Amino acid sequence: MELIKYKCPNCDGGVEFDTGTQMMKCPFCDSEFDVEALKSMDDGIETEQQDVEWATHDDTEWTAGEQEGMRVYLCNTCAGEIIADESTAATSCPYCTNPVIMKGQLSGSARPDLIIPFKLDKNAAMEALSNHLKGKKLLPKCFKSTKRLNEIKGLYVPFWLFDADVDANMRYRTTSVRTWSDTRFIYTETRHFNVLRQGALAFDKVPVDASAKMPADLMESIEPFDISAAMDFQTAYLSGYLADKFDFCEKHCIDRANERIRASTEDAFRKTVTGYSTVTPQYRGVYLRKSVVKYALLPVWVLSTTWRDQTYLFAMNGQTGKFVGDLPTDWGIFWKWFAILTVIITAILFAVAFFAGVI
């Protein structure tokens, strides 16, 4: 298995992608290089690297299942062993910290078509977490400390992007209600209608999470990504970040793509039916055609922390900064506030009753 590492021509240090300048930058001598300039170097980098065979340990006995899904690489810089699961496409050496890219994970059908480079750095993710925790009165105090973070990592998450044209026919049962009155009666008139809608929509690059490690609902919560800012894939963008290749092939994700496209189509047509008192869908006909699929890596900052043996996962869109994540509730604080509010409300009601002469 072959590893790729971009080296600085000035000091031979590992070069990483810098979110601030959107250029490749050497953290040792601060030299900067244009990403496009490295595009022509990709072939050269691949031929200059030595082929690294999978490291094996014939003299070590593994228990059943330990090797399943794992791969072992040798770092080209320090010869240290890098252990990663079979879907890891980019990481860093745990010994010399140099960023490395697993070339074989990104070749053939596993090579992405597009990539959105990180626009926001680790500091932005930490600030977003801090803002996310602000004002949460029922949050455990110790949970608010960033020292409790188990990890924070910039990860390129694999997505399938689906293009599709849609023809739709919709029928709705609607009512229009009018009410008026005179000196004796209140009158209500209800009129019933059948409303038909027909048309076509085009969907461009609908994302579906292709990673088994990342919860699909979490990834959908940090959308949207600005796909128009996507670049043709280059391995240079991965340097300094983690990256996974897809666990789920495009066929596995088609049902979710169709579900999202149908739901969006129904919502778009429903919004055209206005001016009625009630609207009830009677028939939904959504037909997809001319589907095109592309493979992309999208930037996500992943943060996790633990409280009372439960792991809480947060995610931030590495392009837009949208931040999501569930938070725990300290029930001790909850009942404390509940008791305080109960006393205050009881005192207010007593005062009102006293001045009203009820008691």
Side-chain angles (χ1 to χ4, degrees):
M1 184 65 68
E2 190 171 350
L3 300 182
I4 295 176
K5 185 183 73 173
Y6 289 92
K7 291 186 177 182
C8 174
N10 297 326
C11 70
D12 207 36
V15 180
E16 302 178 0
F17 180 73
D18 181 70
T19 58
T21 62
Q22 294 292 291
M23 299 178 70
M24 301 300 292
K25 185 174 182 179
C26 175
F28 303 99
C29 67
D30 290 332
S31 298
E32 295 181 344
F33 309 93
D34 187 85
V35 174
E36 287 297 323
L38 291 178
K39 185 175 183 179
S40 61
M41 296 171 59
D42 275 354
D43 292 337
I45 291 172
E46 293 173 1
T47 56
E48 289 170 8
Q49 305 299 320
Q50 282 190 335
D51 287 339
V52 181
E53 298 297 330
W54 288 36
T56 59
H57 300 271
D58 295 333
D59 58 343
T60 303
E61 293 185 3
W62 291 76
T63 60
E66 276 189 327
Q67 286 181 306
E68 184 178 351
M70 301 302 293
R71 293 183 178 181
V72 182
Y73 306 86
L74 292 180
C75 176
N76 291 329
T77 300
C78 69
E81 287 189 349
I82 303 170
I83 302 175
D85 65 37
E86 59 186 359
S87 63
T88 299
T91 185
S92 60
C93 175
Y95 304 101
C96 66
T97 70
N98 278 322
V100 293
I101 300 167
M102 288 69 169
K103 176 189 171 185
Q105 301 290 69
L106 302 169
S107 60
S109 62
R111 178 180 175 83
D113 300 301
L114 302 169
I115 186 170
I116 296 181
F118 274 88
K119 297 290 185 183
L120 301 171
D121 61 11
K122 181 178 180 179
N123 292 331
M126 293 295 293
E127 183 179 356
L129 175 62
S130 178
N131 291 333
H132 187 64
L133 300 179
K134 285 181 180 178
K136 306 298 192 299
K137 301 296 185 182
L138 301 181
L139 193 67
K141 291 182 179 179
C142 60
F143 195 87
K144 297 181 180 180
S145 173
T146 56
K147 294 180 181 179
R148 293 184 59 85
L149 279 176
N150 295 341
E151 64 176 350
I152 174 171
K153 58 186 179 181
L155 175 66
Y156 280 106
V157 178
F159 279 78
W160 293 107
L161 306 179
F162 292 83
D163 295 354
D165 292 336
V166 177
D167 294 321
N169 292 287
M170 305 288 184
R171 184 174 73 247
Y172 305 91
R173 178 183 296 170
T174 68
T175 63
S176 180
V177 179
R178 184 170 69 97
T179 302
W180 70 97
S181 63
D182 56 22
T183 56
R184 297 180 61 190
F185 300 104
I186 297 175
Y187 304 91
T188 299
E189 177 189 70
T190 302
R191 304 175 67 189
H192 298 265
F193 304 90
N194 279 326
V195 177
L196 305 179
R197 291 290 186 267
Q198 182 178 18
L201 294 175
F203 289 86
D204 184 39
K205 297 180 176 58
V206 176
V208 177
D209 175 21
S211 170
K213 305 180 191 68
M214 303 304 297
D217 57 346
L218 188 68
M219 292 298 95
E220 291 181 6
S221 296
I222 62 173
E223 293 180 16
F225 289 89
D226 180 9
I227 305 296
S228 65
M231 310 283 190
D232 290 336
F233 176 76
Q234 294 182 44
T235 55
Y237 288 115
L238 303 184
S239 188
Y241 296 93
L242 303 177
D244 285 343
K245 76 169 187 178
F246 61 85
D247 297 303
F248 304 129
C249 68
E250 66 272 27
K251 291 182 180 180
H252 184 279
C253 297
I254 284 177
D255 288 344
R256 180 54 184 156
N258 290 344
E259 181 183 341
R260 299 194 73 184
I261 290 171
R262 286 194 175 96
S264 296
T265 299
E266 292 173 7
D267 182 62
F269 275 71
R270 170 61 182 84
K271 288 179 179 178
T272 68
V273 184
T274 60
Y276 298 96
S277 302
T278 64
V279 178
T280 305
Q282 293 295 301
Y283 174 78
R284 303 182 181 96
V286 181
Y287 311 97
L288 279 66
R289 55 186 172 82
K290 293 182 179 179
S291 178
V292 178
V293 184
K294 290 188 179 295
Y295 177 36
L297 296 181
L298 306 185
V300 179
W301 282 102
V302 180
L303 306 88
S304 67
T305 188
T306 303
W307 185 66
R308 292 186 176 177
D309 298 325
Q310 183 174 347
T311 299
Y312 293 85
L313 190 65
F314 306 92
M316 187 183 86
N317 187 314
Q319 180 192 38
T320 67
K322 185 177 180 181
F323 193 99
V324 297
D326 293 330
L327 296 172
T329 296
D330 188 325
W331 289 102
I333 297 177
F334 171 83
W335 289 115
K336 178 181 177 181
W337 277 101
F338 180 82
I340 293 173
L341 291 174
T342 300
V343 170
I344 293 174
I345 294 173
T346 302
I348 292 174
L349 292 176
F350 180 84
V352 171
F354 178 81
F355 287 108
V358 176
I359 55 176

